[in-house]
Amino acid sequence: MEIQRAVEIFNSKDIYKVNLEGESVWIEHVDQQNGMATVQVGSGPTNTLTVNVDRLKEGE
């Protein structure tokens, strides 16, 4: 995913399906400067990762 798309999804009121290596994730923060995103994996609010946005896939 491109950084701008990650920002659009993060700022949207709509819900978009986003995956990280087959796992459903929610984007919680986007660091545009470094091309990174903090995501919540699954439904566990404490299960977060910070990853390169290139690893995120939309709609799979």
Side-chain angles (χ1 to χ4, degrees), residues 12-43:
S12 177
K13 290 181 169 78
D14 296 327
I15 296 174
Y16 293 90
K17 192 170 191 175
V18 178
N19 290 293
L20 170 66
E21 299 168 358
E23 293 278 340
S24 182
V25 298
W26 291 97
I27 299 174
E28 294 191 341
H29 176 74
V30 179
D31 178 352
Q32 293 183 61
Q33 189 89 11
N34 295 306
M36 304 294 284
T38 301
V39 297
Q40 175 185 316
V41 181
S43 61

Side-chain angles (χ1 to χ4, degrees), residues 46-58:
T46 60
N47 189 10
T48 60
L49 297 171
T50 300
V51 299
N52 192 300
V53 294
D54 293 343
R55 294 178 60 193
L56 300 176
K57 306 286 183 211
E58 182 180 1

